[in-house]
Amino acid sequence: MDLVNSVLNFVVPPASLVMLAFAWPALTFINTCEWFYNSFFGENMEDKVVIITGASSGIGEQIAYEYAKRKAHLVLVARRENRLWGISENARGLGAKSVLITAADVVKEADCRRFITETVNLYGRVDHLVNTASLGHTFYLEEATDTNVFPILMDINFWGNVYPTYVALPYLRQNKGRVIVNASVESWLPLPRMSLYSAAKAALVNFYETLRFEVNGDVGVTIATHGWIGTEMTGGRFMLEEGAEMQWKEEREVHASGSSVEDFAKLIVSGACRGDPYVKYPSWHDIFLLYRVFTPNVLQWTFRMLLADQGARRTSFIGTGRPLLESTSPRRQPLPESTSPRRQPLAESSSPRRQPLLEPTSSPRRRVGPVPVQQQME
């Protein structure tokens, strides 16, 4: 058996590439025809019900506007309800039939059940569930001084997508609905200072790939992956969860602007209405998959050269508990006391796997403040 596998290791990869090269023109033609057909006869979202999590800004906000233009009923979910009022008014102005806003924490199953139940009680159905909740970081793993932030990152990036999907799935089945998830190219193309983020996104993609087979066509699944997207990091708020002496940016609530964010939102909504299994922005990132599979060393060397200027480890120290860089803006103010009471520590979840977060850090120093402007993944 070992001999057979050794032979196949040498024969199968090049043979598959040759077959793919010959089949590529035909596959491209078929995909193009399918794309045109679905574009003209795609799903009409008028009077359909769309739930969008992480809708308070960024990609979630822009997706809400795209569905509004298609005259859908919107349910906007975020932890700070006050940030949704302006977005709901904008959505109504763009054509949304109605907008329901609700404050909820997507890493809490009880909150997810509440806003899904509210939606079904009001509209009687759920057609699209769009998960955009995401939390990034920009620190090297060895620089982190408080590991309490680790499960929080995984909770928001993974369980914050799984719980809403789990609760909404029976209602989505009733109407042949669709789940749309905002992933990242880093799920398979890792970059430094984002190890936990990459791991969570990889788990997320594999979860939905498996779910696609489990639902067997009764519920559609669209996985959206993106590369670099322009955001205004200086416009965001920095929050400190109880029990972790950390600094980080909650990306789902950072104001994002620029054509790249709007273009990505348009692609996501258009792809979901066409029934596309994948939406990629930009799609040329996929070429690196071939390098990763067949020549991983070449890919590694390339990235080392491209990222060579980061050898000095210029870092924002988000999530490390260390002082910010001297180049940081001198404006360092604590968060306002008027923060919504629903923004509770993730440690308060009833899930047993979050129990370690219940123990607060022994250090009394808890600071928040802006970080140097830089480009980051959503």
Side-chain angles (χ1 to χ4, degrees), residues 5-58:
N5 285 327
S6 298
V7 173
L8 292 177
N9 286 339
F10 283 101
V11 173
V12 172
S16 299
L17 287 176
V18 171
M19 293 176 60
L20 182 61
F22 281 103
W24 189 268
L27 292 174
T28 302
F29 176 76
I30 294 174
N31 289 336
T32 302
C33 293
E34 189 177 56
W35 184 89
F36 275 109
Y37 177 84
N38 291 332
S39 295
F40 286 102
F41 300 99
E43 184 177 3
N44 181 7
M45 294 306 300
E46 185 171 0
D47 291 324
K48 297 291 183 69
V49 179
V50 181
I51 300 176
I52 305 172
T53 68
S56 56
S57 67

Side-chain angles (χ1 to χ4, degrees), residues 198-210:
S198 298
K201 291 299 185 179
L204 192 64
V205 170
N206 280 279
F207 168 79
Y208 281 103
E209 293 282 16
T210 305

Side-chain angles (χ1 to χ4, degrees), residues 306-322:
L306 293 174
L307 302 173
D309 60 341
Q310 296 190 10
R313 294 208 170 189
R314 297 189 299 272
T315 177
S316 65
F317 293 108
I318 301 177
T320 65
R322 300 185 182 184

Side-chain angles (χ1 to χ4, degrees), residues 316-359:
S316 65
F317 293 108
I318 301 177
T320 65
R322 300 185 182 184
L324 298 176
L325 295 178
E326 295 181 359
S327 60
T328 306
S329 170
R331 296 180 296 107
R332 298 182 182 179
Q333 302 175 353
L335 290 179
E337 295 292 336
S338 60
T339 306
S340 171
R342 295 185 184 272
R343 183 177 298 282
Q344 300 174 352
L346 298 182
E348 296 180 7
S349 172
S350 59
S351 175
R353 55 192 176 77
R354 300 191 184 94
Q355 292 301 320
L357 296 181
L358 293 174
E359 299 179 6

